[in-house]
Amino acid sequence: MTNREIMDLTERYVASTYRRFPVAFVRGRGARLWDADGREYLDFVSGLAVCNLGHCHPAVVDAIREQAATLIHTSNLYHIAPQAELARLLCENSFADRVFFCNSGAEANEAAIKLARKYFSSRGENRFQIISMERSFHGRTMAAMAATGQEKIREGFEPLLERFVYVPFNDVAAVREAICGETAAVLVEPIQGEGGVNLPEPGYLKELRALCDEAGILLILDEVQVGLGRTGTLFAYENYDVKPDIMTLAKALAGGVAIGAMLATAEVAEAFSPGSHASTFGGNFLATAAGIAALRTTVEDGVLDNCRSVGSYLVERLNGLKGKYPFVKEVRGRGLIVGMDLAIPGAEIVNRCFEKGLLINCTGETVLRFLPPLIITEADVDEMVTLLDGVLAGC
Ligand SMILES: *Cc1c(COP(=O)(O)O)cnc(C)c1O
């Protein structure tokens, strides 16, 4: 099938919940994708921070192949060796003691919200309110959407799940003000991804941690986008000298296979007992076998070092463009989540890059977002910057 034929089929039969680029990819390797008409693209989106090891990393492909030929699914009525092993790897490499597996970021946040409520109800405390941030993104299911601090995402789906309040990101005083006798948790992305690559100010997350401790409430970090190496450390919280009570993961966890995970300390996780929460596919053989391969590769193969060094090189090169084009306001990021804040809309620039075979995306209307695979080289960055430079020159 050609790009056109695949597009027509989508239009005819698939629910139209996405605005898509006019292309259908059929093959990928590293930071490159090929479309159905044979054209090559340089990928600085990584399937939205999913393919952190690049497309079809051999370790992930081999793990999936082997597991698929052995056993794919049995259900959580029975023990699942790769699920237990992936949980061990996650705990040994993080603050956490226990892991609940599900299939997406939204589901991981649902689990986190349920656990926070259960934690307090099991102690006989009436705490169910969650404080989250303006411009945050936590997913599209009912609770995750209610937690999302963007009106345009919640619009039309009222009545929403109750007891969510939103305060500005990077404003500790606003959180302090919002905390009341009903507050169960503060839910925050260490770096806001969908909201426009917004970085925490120095000390912000640490102060939030202290505030939560003082109030006896939980700190939940949504690392669905920025966890698993994206910022140059395995988890973003490591950069900011804080530890959460609960953390959610998904996107990059299984190298491209659908998965989600909620990690918690033993004390908090204890509130869940058999029957509290469940997922038919959660922690299945295929996803967790892929997860083990992806996580091992991320921590053992110099991926984090590469992310940090190529990440600084990317910021340096983008700052070069900032010096050249007055409509570039700021370049900001950590590791390989980088935003270029513009004084003009970004959508058309993204389209023009696409036409030149470069995939980037745009969040919050004016922020170009760069989420390349963590295995890219400086030569890939040079190629990207040359293409982008050519597009910006025409703005
Ligand atoms: C993508 C994302 C989610 C939602 O993940 P899904 O797998 O699409 O449900 C939640 N939180 C953050 C920070 C995200 O970037």
Side-chain angles (χ1 to χ4, degrees), residues 33-79:
L33 281 166
W34 288 268
D35 73 14
D37 299 341
R39 182 152 187 237
E40 183 180 319
Y41 296 77
L42 176 58
D43 184 6
F44 270 57
V45 177
S46 307
L48 290 168
V50 168
C51 303
N52 280 8
L53 301 174
H55 295 284
C56 298
H57 189 286
V60 175
V61 171
D62 287 350
I64 292 171
R65 259 205 195 108
E66 196 167 313
Q67 190 59 57
T70 309
L71 189 58
I72 296 175
H73 180 80
T74 57
S75 98
N76 285 304
L77 291 171
Y78 315 103
H79 291 267

Side-chain angles (χ1 to χ4, degrees), residues 104-106 109 137-139 189 194 222 224-225 251:
S104 69
N109 286 325
F137 182 76
H138 300 294
E189 298 157 83
E194 300 308 303
D222 180 341
V224 168
Q225 183 160 153
K251 293 196 163 93

Side-chain angles (χ1 to χ4, degrees), residues 155-365:
E155 201 179 85
F157 298 107
E158 299 84 0
L160 300 173
L161 184 64
E162 285 180 69
R163 302 298 207 275
F164 287 85
V165 294
Y166 320 104
V167 299
F169 186 63
N170 272 328
D171 187 343
V172 181
V175 177
R176 185 183 294 277
E177 194 122 308
I179 291 175
C180 63
E182 291 184 350
T183 307
V186 174
L187 168 60
V188 61
E189 298 157 83
I191 296 172
Q192 290 188 328
E194 300 308 303
V197 191
N198 303 316
L199 303 180
E201 271 159 24
Y204 172 63
L205 293 168
K206 249 188 128 158
E207 284 173 51
L208 277 188
R209 173 74 272 178
L211 194 52
C212 289
D213 290 342
E214 192 185 304
I217 62 174
L218 303 176
L219 178 64
I220 306 173
L221 293 182
D222 180 341
E223 294 220 10
V224 168
Q225 183 160 153
V226 296
L228 298 157
R230 180 55 56 187
T231 65
T233 51
L234 188 57
F235 301 109
Y237 71 78
E238 297 168 46
N239 294 303
Y240 303 108
D241 195 22
V242 287
K243 283 184 182 152
D245 300 292
I246 300 174
M247 174 172 73
T248 53
L249 299 174
K251 293 196 163 93
L253 181 52
V257 180
I259 193 169
M262 180 203 58
L263 285 66
T265 61
E267 193 215 335
V268 175
E270 237 168 56
F272 269 1
S273 54
S276 295
H277 197 43
S279 166
T280 298
F281 286 120
N284 67 77
F285 283 88
L286 203 61
T288 52
I292 291 166
L295 189 54
R296 286 223 171 101
T297 305
T298 304
V299 295
E300 288 168 12
D301 281 9
V303 173
L304 299 174
D305 287 341
N306 190 69
C307 174
R308 284 192 297 271
S309 70
V310 181
S312 353
Y313 183 69
L314 172 60
V315 167
E316 184 189 313
R317 292 297 321 266
L318 291 176
N319 270 320
L321 295 179
K322 180 185 162 208
K324 201 165 158 188
Y325 301 104
F327 55 80
V328 177
K329 289 200 303 194
E330 188 187 30
V331 174
R332 55 177 182 256
R334 181 124 210 166
L336 283 168
I337 174 166
V338 177
M340 182 185 245
D341 204 343
L342 306 173
I344 56 173
E348 200 41 45
I349 294 172
V350 172
N351 289 336
R352 303 274 293 285
C353 288
F354 169 76
E355 284 159 16
K356 287 174 172 265
L358 168 64
L359 306 179
I360 58 170
N361 93 333
C362 177
T363 62
E365 314 275 297

